[in-house]
Amino acid sequence: KGYTVVKTADELYEAMLLDEQNIILMNDIDFSAFSTINSFTGTLDGNGFTISNISGYLIESAENATIKNLAVNPRGSNNADSLIEEAANTTLDTVYIVGFDSAIKNAFDEINISDAFIGGQSGGYGFIETVHAADVTIKNSLNFYSVNDNTGLLIGSNENGTVTIKNSYGAG
């Protein structure tokens, strides 16, 4: 299946509402006029561009999704929650996440994170806030300055999941 080319926030919002989309960005996107996408399946290829001014979550539920080659940051200077509230069978590859408490709030099934950076906020949980009976792999990734006194640097908590960490670091 081909990619839907997206150049504006309107186009991104509309494309993400459709099931099983393959989306590629061709510009930086200011998402300030939009709210959370309820669910997303498919691929979002940022193509090296940035989605900025995200309020709350970008995606409430991601399933069978891949997000790659993308930078994201929230609206304002306050910590935003997570990029994705709930993820199942989701891959984050070559993502740069600044200003969010975590990339994924609740992880289910299989989650793969590679070549990722998260940081720039205090009181965060790393890449995943809570692992719920999921198989998680984090590799070649860095969390810089995302730390919560009661959690780890790469994941917040693990509730019955399997977590594999390879060549990844946390510094906070």
Side-chain angles (χ1 to χ4, degrees):
K1 185 175 179 181
Y3 278 83
T4 300
V5 173
V6 167
K7 296 180 181 178
T8 68
D10 288 326
E11 291 174 351
L12 177 61
Y13 190 79
E14 291 299 318
M16 290 184 76
L17 292 176
L18 303 172
D19 286 338
E20 298 180 25
Q21 284 297 298
N22 294 319
I23 300 165
I24 188 165
L25 299 185
M26 299 307 271
N27 285 318
D28 290 331
I29 303 289
D30 180 342
F31 210 68
S32 59
F34 296 94
S35 60
T36 300
I37 304 295
N38 289 333
S39 66
F40 179 71
T41 58
T43 298
L44 173 57
D45 185 342
N47 198 25
F49 291 103
T50 300
I51 301 175
S52 60
N53 294 315
I54 298 167
S55 180
Y57 306 104
L58 175 62
I59 301 168
E60 186 175 331
S61 175
E63 187 169 356
N64 301 318
T66 297
I67 298 173
K68 63 183 183 178
N69 307 317
L70 180 67
V72 293
N73 57 62
R75 181 180 304 159
S77 60
N78 295 333
N79 290 1
D81 204 330
S82 300
L83 181 64
I84 302 168
E85 184 177 15
E86 292 188 357
N89 299 315
T90 296
T91 297
L92 302 179
D93 183 15
T94 316
V95 292
Y96 183 83
I97 301 166
V98 175
F100 288 87
D101 283 343
S102 62
I104 299 169
K105 185 168 186 169
N106 296 294
F108 300 91
D109 298 324
E110 186 174 334
I111 305 294
N112 293 294
I113 299 172
S114 63
D115 302 308
F117 172 88
I118 188 168
Q121 74 280 17
S122 60
Y125 297 93
F127 290 103
I128 301 173
E129 185 172 332
T130 306
V131 175
H132 300 275
D135 289 325
V136 173
T137 300
I138 300 172
K139 66 181 183 178
N140 304 325
S141 297
L142 172 67
N143 172 13
F144 186 75
Y145 197 57
S146 173
V147 83
N148 184 306
D149 291 338
N150 300 316
T151 64
L153 285 166
L154 299 176
I155 63 166
S157 65
N158 183 357
E159 297 181 2
N160 222 11
T162 302
V163 178
T164 303
I165 299 171
K166 298 177 182 178
N167 201 29
S168 297
Y169 305 92

